[in-house]
């Protein structure tokens, strides 16, 4: 018998659980799919929860973008806003970055996240993907799917579906007993994500649906799509609820949903109440008053809502995604503040108050006092104490592999970080044009250790002049990746060099390739003796009396990655719009802290720890 808690067993018995199952070992067999009011059901154009009318007032909060010791704080702020539900994606690559056993511990303990939401009084909607978009690297898919850079994705492909089935077999059983059909908080799950914006392979959607059902997910399933007939038709199944995702005035999108699905509840499963930023573009916000007015229109129409996002977060480390549009490759910034009602660092913004006032007309707001902004650290300027050049540390950081031609990092089993390619060019004289094909990012070019140029994927025809003299020259290409594309047709976005390196018309062969995942920096030989030029690691000590939220700025620096006490905070880049990186209180230690900065170009004369965020 499933280890039911007495409360759950009774509640399931009382409300007539939608199904009764037994678990033998860890495989659960659903004995009966008895129809009952347990969990979230649909009666005409309204939702019922355990048989009673229920309007979903939900907000998106991504456990993988907020320190786990802040989960409860943020969930309580969502409750205070007037929400009754929290929605989260599950990021597959957060749990299984390498093709090894999936991790569900600590920050990855998604079950603990669900239980915390339940304790705070929130129902839960889970969107397990397997693809989630979300401005997250590769839309949540693990990089190892790109070992073959042209691997079929998000369709009825045996290899892709084998990988998804294995992942779902690890993930979904953890949710089964947490479903509302069994007295738990999970009221619904999504199949795929806006599939109609990518493909129309219904066999693939049916495979996902059937796999979820076979794994014991017997609650309400839905498909969310953009608000057009084409997207809704291609991206949903007739037996599953269809919902729409949009920003702004709901009139048009809801008319499209009504036209497609006239007799079911209206549910905006992503109300884009803010937006995200790409490096080098203007910071995107939405007007709080207009947002509140659009929310009121939805509530007036009797609709359910999921605010995307309710709580901002952070693309820590290498997790930010990217887009591909008419303006080329657009890498997403580290902050996922999203101009949310509850900011990346937990602040209740003007948008929070305006939306809460509107929600208060349709639901009973908790009468608990509103929580203050989490404590912030006093500002200080930090000096860099020691440095070491990256190019002088290659053999500390990596062991080279040899390949005839350059290959992308995923082909070498690498998911994150930089990748370095070296070859020797002999017997040529004079100046030649160096060109690359299949560059996923930016590449710094060195000839005999001297920086001679930069390649950028957004200038594919760019050539770098190489002057060759003497017997032979050493050519280095240091690729500095930003995110894998997370939306649309460019989804197969391998990192590094997956094409050719040409000197005039001659393809260069015989390469030493060094993977630089940068997940262990302890071997670096820092010194205070000299300040290296070019890509280098810089170390600073930061004294902290009382750990609190801090915001790091790099005035005069250009582009790089930052580690706080060994934790990769994320990328910074002088082209903005993001200025500060969020460093949550739980990552700081009382007393001495260590900051390591990998700067690719030029250093400023110090690092600012600020007491307020600046995301543009
Ligand atoms: C779509 C996706 C989300 C997110 C938003 C934009 O609706 O489903 O994951 O990418 O766009 O923030």
């Amino acid at each position: 018998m499933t280890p039911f808690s007495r409360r759950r067993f009774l509640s399931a018995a009382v409300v007539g659980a939608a199904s009764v199952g037994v678990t033998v070992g860890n495989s659960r067999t659903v004995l009966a799919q008895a129809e009952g009011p347990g969990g979230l059901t649909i009666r005409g154009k309204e939702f019922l929860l355990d048989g009673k009318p229920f309007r979903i007032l939900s907000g998106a909060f991504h456990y993988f973008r907020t320190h786990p010791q802040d989960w409860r704080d943020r969930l309580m702020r969502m409750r205070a806003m007037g929400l009754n539900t929290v929605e989260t994606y599950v990021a597959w690559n957060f749990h299984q970055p390498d093709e090894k056993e999936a991790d569900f511990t600590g920050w990855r303990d998604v079950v603990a996240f669900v239980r915390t939401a339940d304790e705070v009084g929130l129902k839960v909607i889970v969107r397990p993907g397997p693809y989630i978009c979300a401005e997250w690297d590769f839309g949540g898919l693990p990089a190892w799917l790109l070992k073959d850079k042209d691997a079929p994705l998000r369709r009825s492909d045996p290899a892709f579906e084998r990988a998804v089935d294995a992942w779902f077999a690890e993930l979904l059983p953890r949710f089964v007993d947490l479903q509302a059909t069994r007295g738990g908080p999970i009221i619904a799950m999504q199949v795929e994500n806006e599939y109609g914006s990518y493909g129309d392979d219904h066999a693939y959607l049916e495979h996902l649906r059937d796999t979820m059902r076979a794994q014991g997910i017997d609650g309400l399933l839905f498909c969310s799509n953009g608000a057009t007939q084409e997207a809704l038709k291609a991206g949903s199944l007739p037996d599953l609820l269809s919902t729409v995702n949009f920003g702004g005035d709901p009139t048009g999108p809801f008319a499209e949903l009504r036209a497609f699905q006239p007799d079911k509840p209206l549910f905006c499963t992503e109300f884009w109440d803010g937006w995200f930023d790409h490096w080098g573009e203007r910071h995107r916000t939405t007007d709080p008053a207009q947002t509140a007015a659009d929310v009121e229109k939805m509530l007036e129409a009797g609709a359910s809502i999921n605010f995307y996002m309710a709580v901002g977060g952070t693309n820590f480390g290498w997790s930010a995604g990217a887009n591909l549009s008419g303006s080329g490759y657009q890498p997403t910034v580290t902050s996922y503040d999203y101009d949310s009602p509850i900011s990346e660092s937990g602040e209740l913004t003007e948008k929070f108050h305006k939306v809460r006032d509107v929600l208060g007309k349709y639901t009973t707001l908790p009468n608990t006092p509103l929580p203050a902004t989490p404590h912030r650290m006093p500002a200080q300027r930090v000096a860099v104490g020691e440095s070491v050049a990256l190019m002088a540390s290659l053999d500390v950081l990596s062991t080279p592999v040899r390949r005839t031609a350059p290959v992308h990092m995923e082909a070498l089993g690498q998911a994150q970080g930089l990748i370095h390619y070296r070859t020797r060019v002999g017997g040529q004289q004079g100046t030649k044009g160096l060109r690359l094909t299949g560059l996923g990012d930016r590449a710094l070019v060195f000839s005999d250790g001297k920086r001679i140029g930069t390649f950028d994927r957004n200038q594919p025809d760019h050539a770098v002049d190489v002057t060759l003299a003497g017997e032979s020259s050493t050519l280095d290409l240091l690729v500095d990746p930003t995110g894998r594309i997370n939306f649309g047709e460019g989804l197969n976005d391998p990192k590094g060099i997956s094409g050719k390196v040409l000197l005039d018309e001659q393809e260069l062969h015989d390469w030493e390739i060094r993977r630089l995942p940068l997940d262990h920096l302890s071997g670096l030989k820092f010194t205070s003796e000299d300040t290296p030029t070019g890509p280098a690691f810089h170390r600073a000590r930061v004294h902290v009396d009382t750990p609190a939220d801090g915001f790091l700025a790099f005035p005069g620096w250009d582009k790089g990655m930052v580690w706080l006490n060994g934790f990769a905070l994320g990328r910074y880049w002088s082209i903005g719009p993001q200025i500060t990186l969020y460093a949550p209180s739980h990552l700081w230690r009382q007393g001495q802290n260590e900051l390591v900065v990998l700067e690719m170009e030029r250093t400023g004369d110090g690092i600012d720890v600020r007491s307020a965020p600046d995301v543009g």
Side-chain angles (χ1 to χ4, degrees), residues 502-578:
L502 299 135
L503 208 48
D504 285 356
E505 274 62 52
Q506 187 185 82
E507 187 179 344
L508 299 181
H509 292 113
D510 188 10
W511 291 85
E512 271 178 22
I513 305 174
R514 286 175 174 81
R515 289 161 290 188
L516 300 169
L518 304 182
D519 45 9
H520 299 296
L521 303 179
S522 51
L524 288 173
K525 297 181 175 35
F526 285 99
T527 164
S528 55
E529 300 309 306
D530 64 344
T531 309
T533 56
F537 295 93
H538 306 273
R539 185 161 66 183
R541 306 276 183 208
V542 189
H543 182 84
V544 168
D545 292 330
T546 312
D549 284 355
F551 304 86
L552 303 181
F554 302 84
W557 301 66
D558 183 57
K559 180 180 189 298
M561 173 60 75
V562 194
W563 291 262
L564 169 59
N565 296 326
F567 179 87
L569 280 181
R571 299 180 181 95
Y572 65 89
W573 198 346
S574 61
I575 61 174
Q578 177 173 0

Side-chain angles (χ1 to χ4, degrees), residues 89 127 132-135 193-194 245 270 272 275-276 308 336 338 486:
Y89 283 122
R127 302 203 282 172
I132 63 169
C133 195
E135 286 70 62
N193 190 78
E194 293 194 333
N245 302 334
E270 291 182 25
W272 307 324
W275 202 245
F276 60 90
Y308 190 97
Y336 204 66
Y338 209 87
N486 58 264

Side-chain angles (χ1 to χ4, degrees), residues 181-440:
T181 51
R182 291 167 167 72
I186 299 176
I187 58 173
M189 284 202 192
Q190 177 178 273
V191 175
E192 242 276 354
N193 190 78
E194 293 194 333
Y195 187 60
S197 302
Y198 182 81
D200 63 356
D201 181 352
H202 280 194
Y204 163 57
L205 292 180
E206 285 160 4
H207 179 89
L208 293 179
R209 175 202 60 199
D210 298 347
T211 303
M212 293 171 81
R213 291 294 187 216
Q215 289 292 353
I217 303 304
D218 54 16
L220 186 132
L221 295 180
F222 65 91
C223 294
S224 77
N225 278 285
T228 67
Q229 298 309 304
E230 299 77 13
L232 286 159
K233 211 167 283 153
S236 65
L237 295 176
D239 58 312
L240 300 184
L241 178 70
S242 258
T243 67
V244 284
N245 302 334
F246 58 86
D249 187 310
T251 313
F254 278 163
E256 289 293 342
L257 180 58
R258 270 273 174 268
F260 180 74
Q261 180 180 258
D263 53 2
K264 297 273 180 65
L266 285 175
F267 187 5
C268 171
T269 32
E270 291 182 25
F271 177 61
W272 307 324
D273 57 8
W275 202 245
F276 60 90
D277 291 334
H278 294 127
W279 289 113
E281 296 178 7
R282 67 178 176 82
H283 177 48
R284 306 285 298 271
T285 60
T286 59
D287 175 70
Q290 184 57 55
T291 300
D294 292 333
V295 168
E296 183 138 28
K297 273 192 180 175
M298 280 190 266
L299 297 174
E300 268 307 295
S304 284
I305 306 176
N306 179 48
F307 290 87
Y308 190 97
M309 302 292 290
V311 183
T314 310
N315 298 318
F316 290 113
W318 310 86
S319 64
N323 283 291
L324 189 65
S325 72
S327 42
Y329 169 74
Q330 300 168 287
T332 303
V333 303
T334 301
S335 171
Y336 204 66
D337 180 76
Y338 209 87
D339 193 32
S340 299
I342 302 165
S343 78
E344 178 179 17
S345 54
E347 190 172 357
L348 306 186
T349 66
E350 181 194 0
K351 195 175 285 177
F352 171 94
H353 293 286
K354 286 207 177 329
V355 167
R356 182 174 185 271
D357 291 346
V358 169
L359 292 176
K361 298 179 191 171
Y362 295 82
T363 184
T364 310
L365 295 173
N367 59 10
T368 48
L370 292 178
T373 301
H375 292 299
R376 292 171 168 182
M377 202 174 295
Q380 60 173 305
R381 164 61 65 105
V382 174
V384 167
E386 312 153 281
S387 303
V388 60
L390 184 148
M391 300 298 268
S393 311
L394 289 175
D395 292 331
V396 164
L397 293 167
S398 181
T399 307
V401 295
R402 298 187 75 106
R403 292 290 186 280
T404 304
V407 292
H408 51 290
M409 66 165 70
E410 298 84 353
L412 300 172
Q414 180 185 356
Q416 67 174 44
L418 280 60
I419 183 164
H420 171 267
Y421 302 85
R422 171 170 286 170
T423 190
R424 282 173 187 73
V425 181
Q428 305 208 31
Q429 300 300 315
T431 299
K432 309 269 181 184
L434 185 71
R435 286 177 298 115
L436 296 191
T437 66
L439 174 64

